């Protein structure tokens, strides 16, 4: 059974800092891994998708890496801003239209 | 293109009642998946529909059911509501529906269900 773990569960940093969120998964047979953002009471916004054959993806201040062999992914956020405050979820996809999610990291950026 | 829409956005029911939630996927998307999100269990997969057929199902009791119409709109139904069914129910649609490394899902805003 695929399990996804995110560490830390919560993180609070001052504005302007660079930070890293971690995601680990137990079964490396995945098609892709996605990072999502969720604002309180809202749906999910896809940030980055890394296909299994890729090592990283970048979008603006965000960079996500994938190491399938070790079952790990990281989301790097550069020059954090208060608007980055949200819960960040990683999810792995192994087919059957089913995403398996981690519990998320609740990020707070303090002005 | 309009995003995934879900109605209603908020719902309050009492134990024992039933409820129907609706999801309209992005135009052209044929795969619709449903997820339940609770503080304790996080996001869990309920089921997925493609071309009006349920293809995949998560580990939920039979009280949870769904269907998909010919226009790809989907509904999920929960019968005999329990307090533990209080959750945010998210619908997601997929452009490919065939699996593979490019597969991604686009999520709606969710329906927040409170069972009293």
């Amino acid at each position: 059974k695929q399990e996804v773990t995110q560490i830390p569960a919560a993180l609070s940093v001052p504005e302007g800092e660079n930070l890293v969120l971690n995601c680990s998964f137990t079964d490396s047979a995945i098609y892709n891994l996605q990072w999502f953002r969720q604002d309180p009471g809202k749906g999910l916004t896809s940030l980055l998708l890394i296909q299994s054959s890729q090592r990283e993806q970048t979008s603006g201040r965000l960079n996500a890496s994938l190491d399938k062999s070790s079952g790990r992914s990281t989301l790097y956020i550069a020059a954090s801003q208060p608007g980055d405050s949200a819960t960040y979820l990683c999810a792995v996809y192994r087919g059957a239209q089913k995403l398996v999610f981690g519990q998320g990291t609740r990020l707070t950026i303090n002005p | 293109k309009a995003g995934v829409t879900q109605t209603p956005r908020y719902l309050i029911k009492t134990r024992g009642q039933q409820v129907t939630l609706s999801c309209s996927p992005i135009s052209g998307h044929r795969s619709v998946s449903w997820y339940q999100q609770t503080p304790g269990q996080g996001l869990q997969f309920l089921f997925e529909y493609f071309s009006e057929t349920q293809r995949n199902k998560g580990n939920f009791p039979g009280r949870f059911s769904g269907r998909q119409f010919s226009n790809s709109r989907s509904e999920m139904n929960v019968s005999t509501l329990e307090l533990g069914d209080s959750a945010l129910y998210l619908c997601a649609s997929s452009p490919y529906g065939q699996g593979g490394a490019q597969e991604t899902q686009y999520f709606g805003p969710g329906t927040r269900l409170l069972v009293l």
Side-chain angles (χ1 to χ4, degrees):
Chain A
K1 177 187 172 187
Q2 176 73 272
E3 292 184 2
V4 180
T5 304
Q6 290 187 246
I7 295 173
L11 182 64
S12 180
V13 302
E15 181 178 1
E17 278 203 5
N18 303 324
L19 57 100
V20 174
L21 308 181
N22 297 292
C23 173
S24 62
F25 47 96
T26 54
D27 188 338
S28 62
I30 63 171
Y31 285 118
N32 64 45
L33 182 144
Q34 277 187 266
W35 283 92
F36 291 89
R37 168 187 172 135
Q38 185 174 32
D39 293 287
K42 302 291 180 61
L44 307 181
T45 301
S46 179
L47 298 173
L48 289 165
L49 181 150
I50 312 175
Q51 297 182 28
S52 60
S53 60
Q54 298 172 330
R55 297 283 293 183
E56 65 179 318
Q57 283 288 335
T58 298
S59 175
R61 294 182 294 107
L62 305 179
N63 175 276
S65 68
L66 174 64
D67 184 343
K68 252 189 15 167
S69 61
S70 67
R72 293 182 181 178
S73 176
T74 61
L75 178 66
Y76 174 82
I77 302 176
S80 58
Q81 303 171 357
D84 295 331
S85 297
T87 296
Y88 290 80
L89 295 146
C90 75
V92 297
Y93 177 65
R94 293 185 64 221
Q97 298 305 104
K98 172 186 174 183
L99 289 171
V100 179
F101 286 86
Q103 291 283 59
T105 294
R106 190 172 66 253
L107 176 64
T108 303
I109 307 299
N110 301 302
Chain B
K1 278 185 178 179
V4 177
T5 58
Q6 293 187 246
T7 57
R9 294 293 312 277
Y10 304 93
L11 210 45
I12 300 175
K13 292 287 187 178
T14 56
R15 280 181 299 173
Q17 287 187 312
Q18 74 167 15
V19 67
T20 299
L21 312 181
S22 180
C23 171
S24 292
I26 292 172
S27 178
H29 290 194
R30 294 166 64 191
S31 171
V32 174
S33 300
W34 288 88
Y35 294 82
Q36 180 196 64
Q37 186 176 30
T38 60
Q41 299 298 316
L43 268 156
Q44 294 184 289
F45 173 79
L46 280 158
F47 31 64
E48 183 252 353
Y49 285 85
F50 183 85
S51 292
E52 303 179 63
T53 301
Q54 184 183 92
R55 289 197 301 187
N56 302 290
K57 191 176 190 306
N59 190 25
F60 278 82
R63 299 184 298 106
F64 291 82
S65 63
R67 59 178 175 167
Q68 187 181 35
F69 302 94
S70 58
N71 61 358
S72 293
R73 189 177 69 85
S74 177
E75 289 181 347
M76 68 163 281
N77 183 276
V78 187
S79 63
T80 319
L81 284 165
E82 301 177 359
L83 296 180
D85 296 334
S86 295
L88 181 66
Y89 290 89
L90 293 164
C91 164
S93 72
S94 173
Y96 305 111
Q98 304 299 328
Q102 297 179 67
E103 196 67 64
T104 186
Q105 297 184 356
Y106 297 84
F107 284 79
T111 293
R112 184 163 296 282
L113 172 65
L114 177 61
V115 182
L116 301 176

